[in-house]
Amino acid sequence: MNKALKGMVHKYDRDNIDTDVIIPGPYLKIHDHKELAMHAMEGIDPKFPEKVSQGDFLVTGKNFGCGSSREHAPIALSQTGIKAVLSPSFARIFYRNAVDGGYLLPIEIDESTVKKISDKDELEINIAQDRITNITKNEQYPMKPFPELIAKIIEAGGLINYKPA
Amino acid sequence: MTITEKILSRAAGKQRLSPGDVVFAKVDKVMMHDVSGPGVIKVFSEWEKKGIKLDHIWNPDRVWVTEDHFVPAADRVSAENIITLSNFTKKYGINKHFKYGLGQYGICHTLSHEEAMVLPGEVYVGGDSHTNTTGAIGAFAAGLGHTDVAYVLMNGQIWFRVPETMLFKIEGNKPAHIMAKDIILQIIGDIGTDGANYRAMQFAGSVVKRLTMEERLTLTNMTTEAGAKNGIVEPDETTHAYLRERTDAKYSPVNGDPDAHYSEVFTYEIERLEPTVAMPFSPGNISAARDLQGTELDKAYIGSCTGAKLEDLREAAKILKGKKVRIRTEVLPAAQSIYMKAMREGLISIFMEAGAVVGPPTCGACCGAHMGVLGKGEVCISTTNRNFPGRMGHIESKTFLASPMVVAASAVTGKITDPRDVKN
């Protein structure tokens, strides 16, 4: 995974965005990644897939990805082009799926940082330095460092490529 | 150490673990169904493209599979997923595959205990978020995604961060109109839908001691709705008696130490607990049923892993006996075995004479997939566990979550109703 990521923000400023709105239940039978991407965030913004460009970021309120264990959720988001989700907290299975599948980065930021970032801002995220630069606003924000094992799995590009010591 | 810490220590081959430690732990049992299974198979095919050899899996005897989400096959895609799943279990020699229309089958979190697929002290993972349910048997049970389940199928182990344990002591005398569902809805309302994120929720106290196994399973099932990694109840004579009726397998149960450290301890006195309802669009958005009295409904749903176990059906039937439902009412027992027990006890006749439709075990309507989805603007009261926007159908439909007693009482009046307010 490239350590410096650059992209535009898509901000949905609400807490508890659940997996049923990220990828609604009827699509669980679908396992084609590109087809899933067409329905990403359908329960919150049906136009979402058209708005996203490769490398963009999602910024949301806390407890992102709560609900089901469906790996369809990070798959659908990553297939639209989303490279990282920035939120004060994540539901645990969404977090694991995002990291272990190597789909996207779940980045924990302070609630105050969420407030400072606006929709369509251009960000640069440097995970080697745990630093987020808001290019549009010329601001810098901290991010919570990844725990050691998580950082290694991210570095490896997913759990399958990681070799436990 | 708490029971959760002790089970994980044993599985990780460590003397002692503390919350926050990240370890690879050996898995005893792993489950997948007709949604996560094809997802896992897709991961396998991606790995094979990378040149990873997958001609056998770690241990086919520790893997079990059920068909529950889109069955009976909702459409052609669902039917093909079932074929894919069957080919996979055949290829890898997984014999415990519960198929619909071939004897016992049902919702995974019901079969896990009904068929004693998981035993006390074990580490159990499944490709479904409500895998937490099975912690009521005294196991460490947690949900995983497709990649993680695929990894377990290959390696028989997976990483975990050892969770802090929140202890919920439920005390007092449980009133007759209160079910475990009311207790867990109250707890989620109090701590919030992220109130237990990454943590274990353990249930204890005099009420839990007296709860049946099925009622304990309702508590652990909905720990997922508070964000918990796992829900757990220490095994006791109730657990062992329940398992003796279902298996002669030997197991080595684990209990917490007397000096175990809990990150938080909550005590609930439940004498005055009210029948509780979670309003749209969150399981944490609770109200007393009586405060919602008169809310008009279109449908009552008695189904799912959390709300269609045998005792759930018995409680609903007590209320529906000799009455007629005023709104569309659907009853779907959680497993074939429970359906048959309910039939022998006369519960199915009670539901049908009341006017309800009784369907086969499926997760279908609970996740808005098929067989009873809600239309635009429809309002449902349901024994299920989630009421997010669009969860049970149209994005503009609404779901209220409640105990089987409250749902049955509401079916009789067509409005949200406290079971105490239904006249016999």
Side-chain angles (χ1 to χ4, degrees):
Chain A
M1 171 110 20
N2 193 338
K3 288 197 172 177
L5 306 168
K6 208 169 172 180
M8 194 180 82
V9 168
H10 301 273
K11 187 169 178 182
Y12 294 88
D13 197 7
R14 57 161 123 163
D15 297 339
N16 306 313
I17 292 178
D18 63 82
T19 51
D20 276 292
V21 301
I22 299 171
I23 186 81
Y27 304 123
L28 295 183
K29 63 186 174 220
I30 296 169
H31 294 282
D32 179 74
H33 291 185
K34 293 206 161 50
E35 196 178 341
L36 285 172
M38 289 159 58
H39 304 289
M41 300 287 274
E42 191 168 291
I44 199 168
D45 179 0
K47 292 209 163 59
F48 182 81
E50 307 164 25
K51 293 179 179 171
V52 179
S53 299
Q54 194 61 34
D56 282 358
F57 307 121
L58 189 58
V59 176
T60 78
K62 66 174 181 162
N63 202 26
F64 183 84
C66 61
S68 139
S69 62
R70 59 192 73 165
E71 198 153 309
H72 309 60
I75 291 171
L77 289 173
S78 73
Q79 285 288 319
T80 63
I82 294 290
K83 277 281 172 275
V85 181
L86 286 70
S87 167
S89 62
F90 292 87
R92 57 168 285 271
I93 305 183
F94 180 89
Y95 189 98
R96 298 186 70 109
N97 287 346
V99 170
D100 287 353
Y103 303 112
L104 51 82
L105 298 176
I107 295 179
E108 292 181 352
I109 54 173
D110 294 338
E111 298 205 14
S112 61
T113 304
V114 174
K115 289 198 182 76
K116 287 175 192 157
I117 301 174
S118 308
D119 193 40
K120 300 201 168 58
D121 279 358
E122 192 82 12
L123 301 185
E124 187 174 281
I125 300 175
N126 188 322
I127 63 167
Q129 294 171 355
D130 302 319
R131 196 184 60 218
I132 300 165
T133 306
N134 189 329
I135 298 166
T136 310
K137 293 193 170 127
N138 195 21
E139 291 174 344
Q140 290 212 336
Y141 319 116
M143 56 177 266
K144 194 173 161 189
F146 290 108
E148 194 184 337
L149 174 70
I150 305 295
K152 284 181 184 163
I153 295 172
I154 290 170
E155 178 75 37
L159 184 59
I160 189 63
N161 303 319
Y162 169 75
K163 300 278 172 280
Chain B
M1 290 188 286
T2 67
I3 175 173
T4 296
E5 292 157 9
K6 283 175 79 171
I7 293 174
L8 285 176
S9 300
R10 190 163 80 179
K14 305 272 185 194
Q15 282 293 316
R16 184 173 187 88
L17 285 177
S18 302
D21 292 345
V22 179
V23 291
F24 273 81
K26 282 189 183 137
V27 169
D28 294 292
K29 304 279 170 60
V30 56
M31 179 281 296
M32 54 189 193
H33 50 50
D34 61 313
V35 167
S36 54
V40 169
I41 295 163
K42 174 92 179 169
V43 172
F44 263 43
S45 69
E46 298 289 325
W47 287 352
E48 280 179 324
K49 279 185 215 158
K50 288 184 181 177
I52 295 168
K53 275 186 71 152
L54 294 165
D55 49 358
H56 67 279
I57 57 170
W58 142 73
N59 188 343
D61 296 336
R62 293 185 173 271
V63 186
W64 68 280
V65 173
T66 189
E67 299 165 357
D68 55 11
H69 275 65
F70 288 84
V71 296
D75 53 23
R76 276 163 47 185
V77 176
S78 314
E80 281 153 23
N81 281 337
I82 300 287
I83 296 168
T84 305
L85 194 57
S86 291
N87 289 342
F88 184 86
T89 53
K90 197 174 164 196
K91 176 180 174 184
Y92 288 105
I94 299 164
N95 297 319
K96 292 190 200 90
H97 182 158
F98 298 96
K99 300 181 176 192
Y100 80 97
L102 271 169
Q104 172 70 314
Y105 89 101
I107 302 176
C108 52
H109 312 304
T110 304
L111 292 183
S112 65
H113 52 90
E114 190 70 2
E115 290 294 317
M117 300 309 296
V118 182
L119 300 166
E122 291 187 338
V123 172
Y124 167 55
V125 295
D128 192 283
S129 63
H130 288 110
T131 302
N132 292 21
T133 312
T134 309
I137 215 107
F140 173 82
L144 298 175
H146 312 156
T147 299
D148 284 353
V149 169
Y151 189 88
V152 174
L153 290 184
M154 271 180 73
N155 299 301
Q157 58 170 352
I158 191 77
W159 66 269
F160 289 107
R161 178 188 164 279
V162 180
E164 292 82 9
T165 297
M166 303 164 81
L167 182 66
F168 294 85
K169 294 167 82 169
I170 320 294
E171 308 285 359
N173 289 308
K174 187 171 74 67
H177 53 273
I178 291 297
M179 296 186 72
K181 188 58 148 287
D182 300 296
I183 300 171
I184 190 65
L185 285 174
Q186 182 66 48
I187 290 173
I188 298 165
D190 290 344
I191 67 172
T193 52
D194 60 351
N197 268 12
Y198 311 122
R199 279 164 284 169
M201 290 173 77
Q202 183 176 331
F203 301 94
S206 58
V207 171
V208 176
K209 203 83 198 154
R210 290 192 299 270
L211 281 183
T212 60
M213 187 49 64
E214 284 197 354
E215 281 282 87
R216 292 177 185 185
L217 287 152
T218 301
L219 293 178
T220 47
N221 178 279
M222 290 195 65
T223 59
T224 307
E225 270 58 62
K229 170 166 289 177
N230 65 310
I232 201 160
V233 179
E234 295 202 283
D236 60 9
E237 196 36 51
T238 299
T239 319
H240 304 311
Y242 181 92
L243 288 169
R244 273 197 300 273
E245 287 176 18
R246 288 165 172 80
T247 182
D248 48 17
K250 298 274 181 289
Y251 52 87
S252 39
V254 171
N255 286 76
D257 296 323
D259 63 348
H261 175 74
Y262 299 95
S263 64
E264 283 161 284
V265 179
F266 300 82
T267 303
Y268 282 79
E269 297 286 343
I270 64 161
E271 263 99 347
R272 283 192 297 278
L273 185 65
E274 288 278 305
T276 302
V277 173
M279 302 177 286
F281 292 100
S282 165
N285 189 19
I286 61 165
S287 166
R290 274 184 176 160
D291 291 342
L292 297 171
Q293 195 173 311
T295 304
E296 300 270 357
L297 300 164
D298 298 298
K299 160 169 158 170
Y301 186 80
I302 298 171
S304 87
C305 49
T306 188
K309 304 181 289 315
L310 187 60
E311 289 164 29
D312 297 323
L313 301 182
R314 281 181 187 148
E315 293 303 331
K318 275 184 206 162
I319 291 169
L320 288 168
K321 190 171 186 180
K323 299 196 184 62
K324 295 284 179 203
V325 295
R326 284 218 180 162
I327 47 172
R328 193 170 67 239
T329 301
E330 303 167 10
V331 182
L332 289 90
Q336 176 101 338
S337 55
I338 288 174
Y339 200 146
M340 287 197 287
K341 286 177 201 168
M343 200 168 56
R344 290 191 198 108
E345 289 185 17
L347 310 182
I348 302 299
S349 300
I350 292 171
F351 297 136
M352 294 184 80
E353 278 160 19
V357 64
V358 182
T362 179
C363 309
C366 172
C367 58
H370 69 120
M371 211 182 281
V373 298
L374 299 175
K376 185 176 180 178
E378 283 196 303
V379 183
C380 172
I381 190 154
S382 175
T383 65
T384 56
N385 43 31
R386 285 191 183 134
N387 59 349
F388 303 139
R391 168 72 182 180
M392 293 187 79
H394 195 279
I395 194 79
E396 287 171 40
S397 62
K398 286 181 180 169
T399 297
F400 290 85
L401 306 174
S403 75
M405 286 186 197
V406 173
V407 173
S410 304
V412 170
T413 63
K415 296 167 182 173
I416 294 181
T417 302
D418 185 306
R420 290 169 292 185
D421 300 332
V422 176
K423 306 278 176 292
N424 274 312

